[in-house]
Amino acid sequence: DRDPDRVSPDDPASVMVNPVGSASVQVAAPHAAANLQRPSPPSSSSFFTAEDALTITSYYAHKTVLVCQELQKAFYLPDHVAFTAAAYFRRFFLKNSLLEIPCQPKAIMFTCVYLACKAEERYVGAEELAKINGEDPKEILSLELHVLNGLDFDLVVHGPVWPLRGWTEALWRCLGANAPDEATQKKVYANALKEALDLWLTDAMFVSPPSVITLLALRRACEGGALAGNVASDAHLSSHGGLVTPPPTTTTSGKSDDGAPMSPAAVRSALDALHKSFPPGSGESPRTADASAADLKRRKCRNPANDPSTELYAHLRRQEDEERAEKKRAKLEKKRAKQEEDYAVLNL
């Protein structure tokens, strides 16, 4: 046996310690240190980034609209249900991380569609929704409260569908005898609705009121078409169709300022700024391959405490069940003790 107090220079396991007591340690045998290799750090490309989160949320926001369009064929849903469902999905992930949710983003998407149908009074049951898309209705119902909590129970969405109808009617009134035929009017409305959806699937819904988004969509639908020469300016349309009102703000004094209607110049300025921030095509869906690659990194980096496939998740759920059972048991014991005390008083 080797004496631990003796240090042999020929011993590969021996070390030389700095005599002044510093923390530096030198290995006596260089060939032994050569065999000790540090593991290479993971590549930065394997980390889940904010761009990956944006890719996933944008991809499933577009999928939300596609699901609503499929339901529209079967249940005759109006257009604003799709806008509401997409708004729910985008708003949910403003406060909730993709790495912390206890399910897949796809399940959140179907739950948002389910809630949008209920909020817009076009109810579609979870069973019907599951039949069309092949999902589990129990998972949709189990996530309903979770999504509502993520939305702060605020289900009101002021989408661009109703403002678009008002703007188009105002446009036809402005044009008067020069208004196009009914077929052209329907075509302009359909193109404007498509442009509004393209803007709605970006961050425009968080920075501009729906009336401004809708007016920009209508302007894009008219540009280059038969109405391009008839619509002189956005200010002309706003002055005849009702001025745009900005969203309520809070002044420095703490009082709520609902804001006065915007002037034609302010409307034009807001439209130009919004057009510059979100050019045409900015709301296009990411490629499926890019979304799949981002979701693969999300699966690797997600919190194991919220991943149902991990042992930690199962352990935490068992611990919660035990704590819940213990609280129930303690409550029953307290109730039984109270009853025994009351019986003792009555017997006396």
Side-chain angles (χ1 to χ4, degrees):
D1 295 336
R2 185 178 58 187
D3 188 354
D5 296 333
R6 296 182 59 187
V7 177
S8 173
D10 298 331
D11 190 352
S14 63
V15 295
M16 296 178 63
V17 184
N18 194 321
V20 297
S22 63
S24 62
V25 178
Q26 180 181 0
V27 179
H31 63 276
N35 295 330
L36 301 176
Q37 296 180 357
R38 293 182 178 179
S40 58
S43 175
S44 59
S45 60
S46 62
F47 296 147
F48 189 75
T49 63
E51 289 76 13
D52 295 328
L54 182 61
T55 299
I56 294 176
T57 54
S58 179
Y59 177 79
Y60 279 105
H62 284 80
K63 287 294 184 182
T64 303
V65 176
L66 294 179
V67 170
C68 291
Q69 290 175 352
E70 289 294 328
L71 291 175
Q72 190 175 20
K73 300 176 183 178
F75 297 96
Y76 304 99
L77 297 181
D79 295 326
H80 56 268
V81 174
F83 287 86
T84 301
Y88 286 169
F89 187 84
R90 295 294 305 278
R91 281 172 47 193
F92 177 83
F93 284 107
L94 281 179
K95 297 178 59 179
N96 297 269
S97 173
L98 282 164
L99 302 179
E100 297 290 340
I101 58 175
C103 59
Q104 301 299 326
K106 186 178 180 181
I108 300 293
M109 175 192 70
F110 284 110
T111 307
C112 290
V113 174
Y114 175 71
L115 287 175
C117 294
K118 294 176 67 174
E120 297 297 343
E121 298 182 356
R122 294 294 189 274
Y123 178 73
V124 177
E127 292 77 10
E128 288 78 6
L129 184 62
K131 290 179 182 178
I132 293 178
N133 300 281
E135 295 298 317
D136 185 8
K138 294 182 180 179
E139 186 177 17
I140 296 175
L141 295 175
S142 64
L143 290 173
E144 182 178 6
L145 186 60
H146 181 72
V147 174
L148 286 172
N149 188 33
L151 297 174
D152 292 332
F153 295 89
D154 184 8
L155 301 180
V156 178
V157 174
H158 299 286
V161 176
W162 297 111
L164 178 59
R165 295 181 181 178
W167 281 124
T168 50
E169 292 178 2
L171 176 60
W172 311 141
R173 289 198 305 266
C174 290
L175 297 178
N178 296 324
D181 55 12
E182 184 177 356
T184 304
Q185 292 181 11
K186 291 182 178 179
K187 183 178 179 180
V188 170
Y189 178 84
N191 293 337
L193 187 65
K194 183 179 179 181
E195 293 290 341
L197 182 60
D198 182 76
L199 287 168
W200 195 251
L201 292 174
T202 64
D203 291 339
M205 71 168 72
F206 303 125
V207 298
S208 296
S211 53
V212 176
I213 295 175
T214 307
L215 187 55
L216 177 59
L218 183 59
R219 186 178 73 172
R220 290 179 178 179
C222 294
E223 287 178 350
L227 298 179
N230 294 329
V231 181
S233 64
D234 302 309
H236 175 74
L237 179 59
S238 64
S239 63
H240 287 77
L243 300 179
V244 179
T245 302
T249 57
T250 303
T251 61
T252 55
S253 61
K255 296 181 179 180
S256 177
D257 182 14
D258 293 337
M262 299 171 64
S263 63
V267 172
R268 187 186 296 108
S269 177
L271 292 177
D272 292 339
L274 188 63
H275 176 76
K276 184 178 180 180
S277 301
F278 305 98
S282 57
E284 293 182 356
S285 174
R287 298 185 308 168
T288 303
D290 297 337
S292 299
D295 190 64
L296 180 61
K297 292 193 288 185
R298 182 194 68 85
R299 293 170 184 265
K300 294 180 180 179
C301 299
R302 66 183 302 190
N303 186 359
N306 295 327
D307 187 356
S309 62
T310 61
E311 296 182 0
L312 177 60
Y313 179 88
H315 172 72
L316 293 177
R317 299 293 83 78
R318 288 194 299 268
Q319 189 176 7
E320 290 179 357
D321 293 340
E322 292 175 359
E323 292 178 355
R324 194 179 300 109
E326 182 63 27
K327 290 181 180 179
K328 185 177 181 179
R329 191 181 304 109
K331 185 177 180 180
L332 292 176
E333 290 291 340
K334 184 177 180 180
K335 183 178 180 181
R336 187 180 297 108
K338 180 64 176 176
Q339 291 177 350
E340 292 178 355
E341 182 180 353
D342 294 340
Y343 291 154
V345 172
L346 293 176
N347 291 334
L348 290 178

